[in-house]
Amino acid sequence: MKSAVSSEAPESRAPRHAPRVVLISTYDLGRQPFGLASPAAWLRRAGASVVCCDLAVDPLDEVAAGSADAVAFFLPMHTATRLAAPVIARVRALNPRAPLSAYGLYAAMNAGALRALGVEACFSGEFERGLTEWAMGLAGRGPDARAHDGVSLERLAFLAPDREGLPALDRYARLDPGDGSLLTVGYTESSRGCKHLCRHCPVVPIYGGRFRVVPRAIVLDDVRRQVEAGARHVTFGDPDFWNGIGHAIPLVRALHAEFPALTYDVTIKIEHLLAHREQLATLRETGCRFVTSAVESVDDRVLERLEKGHTRADFVEVVRLFREESLILHPTFVAFTPWISRAGYAELLETIAELGLIEHVAPVQLGIRLLIPPGSRLLELPEARALAQPLDPVLLCHPWRHPEPRVDALCGRVQSMVAEASGRGEARGVVFDRAYALAVEASGERVRPLAAAARAPHRPPVPFLTEPWYC
């Protein structure tokens, strides 16, 4: 539900008892969590004492958790939410009296499961105000803790994130430019939500086609502080950086003017890359090292079901445009859906090879299986409803089985192979070849040679983050 309060940030004050608040992140794709830094700024401005714990790099601060007046869990993705369950149990054991809340994209959609674990309030969308008022209300100030529980899409007066107390940037994922060096990476967000309604996207149940822009000055201030802390590359974590292209282009121009040596990466939809192809040169000129785009499939029937807004031909055209502009595309995929066949999976890999994109695709993308979270628009499709099982409170999704069991078996083999190979640090090309061999074997055919373009030796190395993006 929407908050009815004003959009001004809580004023700084000296409460009779400043609540001690612990913010916990379990996993955020190998980056310093924006979702700890942003609410920390709000809470500290309101007078709270804040401790941030990022369990991806540090153990739980049991002293802080045991003495906290409130503990809040940042849940930006499915993996983070599942990892949070045992931590919630641990915090409850350490501090039975402390109220618990959860916030982030996956908080409200999993409210039922989280409440069963002892979480009393969940905040999604523009969560900072609700979370702050909940925490300050525990000290006898402000509204009832549950008054703003749910989804808020109010227009906030954003504050610059406060990264005090967070682990150093060099403890997180790095940029591998392909020349043997590793660059320290910062992370920020210039917008939230998304204009689009892709059926499988977890942003849609929360934002419903709306998005919010973070003022340029706030974004630049956040980047400036991270550059001072050692960042040489910045990831923009917007669900789609070109949702508001009139905001995005002046932002990267200003960024490049202030930090000419700083590079960055962004996520942009295929349809936006085509619609605004005249701005591809701007990306290159302002230091964009690569663009991530959720291609999802090369089967137009699947793309139509997902309402992705692009076709296979559109994807191929974007690959061509990127080559012309000397830009790097990192396509991501939902490789296994209820509508793909064993031959269709092999065709996906063959297309990646034919387009010369083997090194552009992180191995984890070869085994991604469609997730149906609570509230997903996929459940609007009769065939998806027929396959989806009841919501699993542990898996936090609607499990489904492929109509052809051998496709699920292939998915399992690919996922296991990718996990083992990645654990050994094997090269992307080696992992890809193994996935292709599994795909062809499952199709009952002989392994065919892949296109010569797959490993064109004249192309420069493909830069990538050492922690791959996935949902």
Side-chain angles (χ1 to χ4, degrees):
M1 67 184 179
K2 294 185 180 181
S3 169
V5 299
S6 76
S7 60
E8 294 301 314
E11 291 298 324
S12 178
R13 51 185 175 263
R16 290 188 297 273
H17 165 58
R20 299 180 298 272
V21 182
V22 173
L23 303 177
I24 296 176
S25 173
T26 56
Y27 180 64
D28 195 17
L29 292 169
R31 55 207 185 193
Q32 190 188 68
F34 183 94
L36 296 185
S38 182
W42 283 68
L43 286 160
R44 286 169 179 153
R45 176 183 167 121
S49 171
V50 181
V51 173
C52 296
C53 298
D54 185 0
L55 305 191
V57 295
D58 283 325
L60 176 67
D61 186 336
E62 295 191 347
V63 173
S67 61
D69 294 310
V71 180
F73 294 84
F74 174 48
L75 307 178
M77 58 184 298
H78 182 259
T79 299
T81 310
R82 291 194 62 187
L83 289 173
V87 184
I88 292 171
R90 179 62 182 149
V91 170
R92 291 192 71 196
L94 287 169
N95 191 346
R97 67 175 182 80
L100 308 180
S101 70
Y103 65 98
L105 193 64
Y106 276 74
M109 71 171 71
N110 289 292
L114 292 167
R115 289 191 187 285
L117 296 172
V119 172
E120 74 169 37
C122 297
F123 305 96
S124 289
E126 308 307 285
F127 57 77
E128 284 89 346
R129 171 178 294 284
L131 177 64
T132 300
E133 293 184 337
W134 171 80
M136 299 308 294
L138 300 175
R141 313 179 72 86
D144 179 81
R146 292 179 177 80
H148 303 294
D149 184 11
V151 176
S152 172
L153 297 180
E154 66 171 323
R155 296 183 183 275
L156 296 178
F158 290 102
L159 301 179
D162 185 345
R163 299 177 183 274
E164 179 184 351
L166 287 173
L169 291 176
D170 60 12
R171 298 185 64 195
Y172 292 92
R174 307 290 190 92
L175 176 74
D176 184 340
D179 59 5
S181 64
L182 291 175
L183 303 182
T184 301
V185 177
Y187 174 87
T188 194
E189 298 175 4
S190 71
S191 66
R192 297 178 176 181
C194 185
K195 289 181 177 179
H196 301 274
L197 297 171
C198 305
R199 286 191 185 277
H200 62 305
C201 180
V203 176
V204 174
I206 301 302
Y207 280 90
R210 285 157 288 188
F211 86 112
R212 298 287 180 260
V213 166
V214 181
R216 189 191 317 166
I218 295 289
V219 180
L220 291 174
D221 185 50
D222 188 31
V223 172
R224 194 174 295 120
R225 296 182 190 187
Q226 293 182 79
V227 170
E228 291 172 357
R232 297 297 175 264
H233 177 91
V234 172
T235 292
F236 285 95
D238 311 43
D240 192 295
F241 192 64
W242 279 0
N243 262 317
I245 194 166
H247 170 61
I249 295 301
L251 172 61
V252 294
R253 285 178 174 154
L255 182 69
H256 185 65
E258 184 171 355
F259 303 107
L262 186 71
T263 60
Y264 66 91
D265 69 270
V266 293
T267 298
I268 304 176
K269 283 174 66 69
I270 292 293
E271 65 177 289
H272 285 170
L273 293 169
L274 285 176
H276 305 292
R277 64 183 71 197
E278 74 283 356
Q279 294 293 354
L280 295 180
T282 303
L283 293 176
R284 173 175 45 77
E285 292 163 1
T286 55
C288 182
R289 292 306 301 268
F290 63 86
V291 174
T292 299
S293 192
V295 176
E296 314 303 38
S297 178
V298 296
D299 185 328
D300 284 340
R301 296 169 302 171
V302 175
L303 292 169
E304 184 177 358
R305 286 183 172 94
L306 299 181
E307 292 192 10
K308 278 300 300 177
H310 71 260
T311 64
R312 175 193 180 113
D314 292 335
F315 167 45
V316 172
E317 175 64 3
V318 165
V319 172
R320 185 189 69 78
L321 290 171
F322 268 55
R323 291 252 158 81
E324 284 186 353
E325 290 289 348
S326 299
L327 285 168
I328 300 295
L329 182 70
H330 283 190
T332 64
F333 299 95
V334 180
F336 291 93
T337 71
W339 309 288
I340 197 170
S341 64
R342 289 169 290 153
Y345 180 68
E347 181 188 4
L348 168 64
L349 301 188
E350 288 164 359
T351 302
I352 291 171
E354 289 166 2
L355 294 174
L357 295 174
I358 290 177
E359 297 297 329
H360 298 238
V361 179
V364 69
Q365 296 296 326
L366 305 178
I368 296 291
R369 191 173 188 271
L370 184 68
L371 187 73
I372 307 180
S376 173
R377 286 196 65 226
L378 286 164
L379 296 174
E380 296 174 3
L381 296 174
E383 64 256 48
R385 288 199 304 273
L387 290 171
Q389 300 173 26
L391 184 66
D392 188 309
V394 176
L395 297 177
L396 303 179
C397 66
H398 294 273
W400 59 272
R401 292 191 180 94
H402 197 282
E404 170 52 72
R406 285 178 290 185
V407 175
D408 281 339
L410 172 60
C411 177
R413 288 195 293 271
V414 171
Q415 290 179 338
S416 296
M417 181 276 295
V418 168
E420 292 171 5
S422 298
R424 293 191 295 267
E426 295 187 357
R428 290 185 172 195
V430 172
V431 181
F432 184 92
D433 287 345
R434 289 182 182 161
Y436 183 62
L438 289 172
V440 175
E441 177 187 358
S443 298
E445 301 179 15
R446 296 178 61 185
V447 177
R448 300 178 296 278
L450 292 170
R455 296 174 179 82
H458 62 279
R459 291 200 183 122
V462 177
F464 61 88
L465 297 176
T466 56
E467 184 81 13
W469 182 97
Y470 68 97
C471 225

